[in-house]
């Protein structure tokens, strides 16, 4: 094999010199994704609604020898998102990777779902993802390069008896947005893909973890027989952020132990 090809193959998962923005960076998955991308070489911007909650993520990245910046940003507010993008560009001069992790879940029986809770889920999960992609996308368009990874869920693929009348549709909208942006922005060399995990045990899924019967229902639907763990999520994110996935766009990558396969 030619040396030039071998050199490219060796760098398929290299993120050195890249700048990644991660929304929801103080959350369970956000913090691991920040650390994961830093391990493979990226400098990291973590965002959350308050700076204080981002300290651990920043320290984790710096310990790995990468640069880290924390910016307060409520993703459902456009002015906050504009400020996030401006601060990132002022500090690092570019944005190569965006991972939209910020999200919430609320569960009620559909017939009792409060309209304001439904709206809040949509505002954060759908509008928040859209606004972040919109403003980071503008920078990526100028650069002629970008990798956007949205965080969806298997609940965007299929319904579930557990009260997901807002969360499920919000993640289905994230899937739709991912495919839309992938087709619209391919001409700018921006790839847009979603990761749709099944359940992890994090604060977001505490309600399920505390209900042994419901927990068993969830596990019984996963052929590999366990919940997802940090490494599952980091592996998928590094792949979609790295040159290894340069010809992959508009895809929903199910990190789900096989539960959407059958
Ligand atoms: N935990 C799971 O089992 C699971 C499964 C599938 C998908 N997901 C998705 O993964 C993502 C992360 O989930 P997690 O389990 O780490 O949850 P988490 O609650 O630990 O983290 C979510 C983060 O989003 C932040 N956030 C909430 N609203 C925000 C807003 N308006 N602006 C900015 N940040 C905001 C929270 O502060 C928190 O840091 C979510 O999008 C979730 O839907 C999680």
């Amino acid at each position: 094999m030619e040396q030039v090809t071998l050199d490219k193959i060796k760098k398929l998962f290299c993120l050195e010199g890249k700048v990644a923005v991660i929304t929801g960076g103080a959350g369970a998955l956000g913090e691991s994704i920040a650390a994961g991308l830093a391990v493979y070489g990226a400098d990291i911007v973590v965002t959350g609604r308050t700076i204080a909650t981002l300290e651990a993520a920043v320290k984790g990245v710096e310990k790995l020898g990468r640069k880290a910046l924390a910016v307060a940003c409520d993703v459902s507010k456009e002015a906050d998102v504009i400020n996030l993008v401006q601060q990132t560009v002022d500090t690092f001069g570019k944005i190569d990777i965006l991972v939209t992790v910020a999200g919430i879940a609320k569960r009620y029986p559909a017939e009792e779902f409060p309209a304001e809770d439904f709206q809040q889920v949509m505002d954060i999960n759908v509008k928040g993802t859209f606004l972040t992609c919109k403003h980071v996308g503008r920078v990526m368009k100028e650069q002629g390069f970008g990798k956007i990874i949205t965080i969806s869920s298997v609940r965007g693929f299929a319904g579930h008896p557990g009260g997901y009348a807002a969360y499920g549709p919000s993640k289905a909208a994230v899937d739709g947005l991912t495919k839309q942006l992938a087709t619209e922005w391919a001409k700018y060399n921006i790839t847009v893909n979603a990761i749709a995990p099944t359940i992890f045990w994090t604060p977001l899924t505490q309600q399920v973890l505390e209900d042994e019967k419901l927990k068993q229902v969830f596990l019984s639907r996963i052929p590999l027989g366990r919940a997802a763990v940090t490494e599952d999520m980091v592996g998928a994110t590094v792949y979609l952020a790295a040159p290894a996935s340069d010809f992959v766009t508009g895809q929903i990558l199910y990190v789900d132990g096989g539960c959407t396969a059958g």
Side-chain angles (χ1 to χ4, degrees), residues 23-30 47-49 53 73-76 100-105 124-125 151-154 167 171 195-205 233:
T23 68
L29 296 188
T47 80
R49 281 162 298 178
T53 58
C73 170
D74 179 336
V75 292
S76 65
T100 62
V101 188
I104 60 166
I124 295 172
N125 295 7
I151 303 301
S152 177
S153 164
V154 290
Y167 186 76
K171 293 300 187 179
I195 298 174
T198 189
I199 202 148
F200 290 79
W201 304 132
T202 72
L204 187 122
T205 52
M233 195 65 191

Side-chain angles (χ1 to χ4, degrees), residues 22-223:
I22 300 162
T23 68
L29 296 188
E31 205 178 311
S32 352
I33 288 171
L37 294 181
V39 165
Y40 285 84
D43 293 326
I44 306 290
V45 181
V46 276
T47 80
R49 281 162 298 178
T50 51
I51 287 279
T53 58
L54 299 167
E55 255 172 47
V58 166
K59 278 193 187 139
V61 168
E62 286 174 346
K63 256 192 193 165
L64 292 162
R66 309 294 171 200
K67 292 184 197 129
L69 172 72
V71 181
C73 170
D74 179 336
V75 292
S76 65
K77 295 185 179 149
E78 192 158 19
D80 279 20
V81 176
I82 291 169
N83 176 56
L84 161 68
V85 171
Q86 193 57 55
Q87 282 206 44
T88 303
V89 172
D90 287 349
T91 307
F92 291 109
K94 61 173 185 165
I95 306 174
D96 300 295
I97 300 157
L98 167 67
V99 193
T100 62
V101 188
I104 60 166
K106 300 224 168 189
R107 294 194 305 115
Y108 302 96
E111 68 279 14
E112 288 163 24
F113 216 109
E116 55 276 22
D117 287 49
F118 182 91
Q119 189 58 51
Q120 198 191 0
V121 172
M122 293 298 161
D123 282 347
I124 295 172
N125 295 7
V126 185
K127 186 177 154 203
T129 302
F130 166 68
L131 290 175
T132 324
C133 290
K134 172 184 167 183
H135 290 284
V136 172
R138 287 181 178 186
V139 175
M140 291 177 166
K141 176 183 168 184
E142 284 301 308
Q143 295 168 176
F145 173 78
K147 296 262 189 185
I148 296 178
I149 302 155
T150 58
I151 303 301
S152 177
S153 164
V154 290
R155 295 281 71 79
F157 171 84
H160 188 284
Y164 292 97
Y167 186 76
S170 80
K171 293 300 187 179
V174 168
D175 292 352
L177 179 68
T178 302
K179 292 178 190 176
Q180 175 59 32
L181 297 179
T183 53
E184 229 181 294
W185 289 349
K187 59 181 175 287
Y188 307 131
N189 194 28
I190 301 172
T191 62
V192 190
N193 294 287
I195 298 174
T198 189
I199 202 148
F200 290 79
W201 304 132
T202 72
L204 187 122
T205 52
Q206 189 66 22
Q207 267 185 319
V208 179
L209 187 61
E210 283 166 3
D211 180 339
E212 191 54 37
K213 212 166 136 204
L214 187 59
K215 186 179 159 193
Q216 290 315 320
V217 171
F218 268 91
L219 292 179
S220 70
R221 292 161 70 119
I222 302 173

